[in-house]
Every structure is written in C-alpha cells, then in structure tokens.
Amino acid sequence: MKRSREQAASELFAALYPRLAGWCRRLVDDDETAHEIASEAFTRLWSRWTSVTEPRAFLYVTAANLVRDHWRRLDRERKTVRRVGTEAAVRPHTEPSDPSVRMLVQALPERLRVPILLHYYADLPVREVSAVTGRKEGTIKADLHAARELLRAHLRRNLDHSR
C-alpha cells in the first residue's frame, strides 16, 4: 500500500513538475524562484496527499497563491526602496506608461484573480477551475468575463494616457 502511494506520488511529480515550474517561471520571471514555488507546492501537496482529490488543481492553486505572495513581497521591497530614496540612483523616477499584464492581474480582487491564473496561465478548463474553487461554472465564467473587462478597461486608460 505504502509503496504504491509513493510510486503514484513519484509519477505525479514526473508528469506535472516540469509544466508547473514552467508556468511559475512565466509568472515570476526567474528560474530559481519558479522552482522554489513549484517545489513548495509539491511539498504542500505531499503533506495533504491522502486528502487531496484533485492533485493537479491543488498544485496550481497553491502555486498561484505562492506567486501572489512573491509578487506582494516584490511590491513591498520596491516600496521600501522608493521610500528610502535609493531608487533614483537605480532607475528613473518615471514609471512606464504601459503596465505589465502581470501587475494588472495581481491587482485584481482575489475572486477574479484566481480564476484568471488558473484558466489562462495554468490552462485549466472552466470545469476544473469550478471544482478547485468550489464555485459554480457559471460563476467562474462570469468572473472571467468581469476580470477581462477590468483588464481591458485599465489597458485602454493607459493607452489613452500615453498618447
């Protein structure tokens, strides 16, 4: 029994780790951080191995939360640097007028951010996003629509201001 559980865990790792780490890499823009996040997601899965019914979805939701924490930590660090005043020596005062989509996604409310990350970045179908989040498929579709509209409006505002 224990051997088959270990074998299943090993097969799951071999099948999912490269893709999960690659997904994290696209979100955090750093190989080492991406591997740390993917490894931590698997560590958290192993600690709940017997109670998780959807391991793939669990891994992506956990990784999404870890990525969000990483983004928040980076944002706090940037604010601290700015506050201290050393940023002027590192880069110009003006922020780019075209925000990265990643930062816009980060700014979405969690209710909208999690479905966007799972559906568009982890390539989970709406049905799986629904199962992972415990929300109805119709709600997930509505949240995806609302998130896209918010992102579209923000991008339009930025384009209008940059002209």
Side-chain angles (χ1 to χ4, degrees):
M1 178 82 164
K2 184 176 183 178
R3 179 72 183 139
S4 65
R5 211 181 292 165
E6 287 177 7
Q7 185 176 355
S10 178
E11 289 170 3
L12 182 75
F13 183 84
L16 296 180
Y17 183 84
R19 189 166 183 198
L20 180 66
W23 178 70
C24 292
R25 171 67 174 88
R26 287 191 311 270
L27 293 171
V28 299
D29 229 12
D30 177 63
D31 283 335
E32 186 176 335
T33 303
H35 285 286
E36 286 175 12
I37 289 171
S39 297
E40 179 62 23
F42 269 96
T43 300
R44 291 181 186 191
L45 173 63
W46 303 149
S47 71
R48 295 168 184 79
W49 182 244
T50 57
S51 64
V52 174
T53 56
E54 303 263 348
R56 179 177 182 244
F58 178 90
L59 287 168
Y60 277 93
V61 168
T62 301
N65 288 332
L66 292 168
V67 165
R68 183 198 62 224
D69 293 344
H70 171 75
W71 287 346
R72 285 181 178 164
R73 192 170 32 260
L74 287 178
D75 191 46
R76 282 192 305 270
E77 289 171 5
R78 273 193 292 272
K79 286 178 181 174
T80 301
V81 167
R82 211 173 286 132
R83 203 174 305 125
V84 172
T86 57
E87 187 177 60
V90 177
R91 65 179 181 189
H93 288 288
T94 57
E95 291 293 323
S97 61
D98 184 22
S100 74
V101 173
R102 180 176 64 181
M103 297 311 256
L104 293 175
V105 169
Q106 176 189 359
L108 288 171
E110 185 170 353
R111 172 182 72 80
L112 302 178
R113 182 180 56 248
V114 169
I116 286 285
L117 288 172
L118 293 175
H119 184 66
Y120 290 107
Y121 289 88
D123 296 326
L124 294 181
V126 169
R127 177 182 39 75
E128 284 188 48
V129 175
S130 170
V132 168
T133 60
R135 293 166 24 209
K136 294 181 181 177
E137 284 185 39
T139 303
I140 296 301
K141 289 176 183 177
D143 288 346
L144 288 170
H145 176 75
R148 285 189 305 266
E149 289 302 311
L150 281 171
L151 293 170
R152 188 175 294 123
H154 194 77
L155 288 169
R156 273 195 196 118
R157 271 195 311 273
N158 257 359
L159 286 175
D160 290 344
H161 290 306
S162 66
R163 293 178 187 194

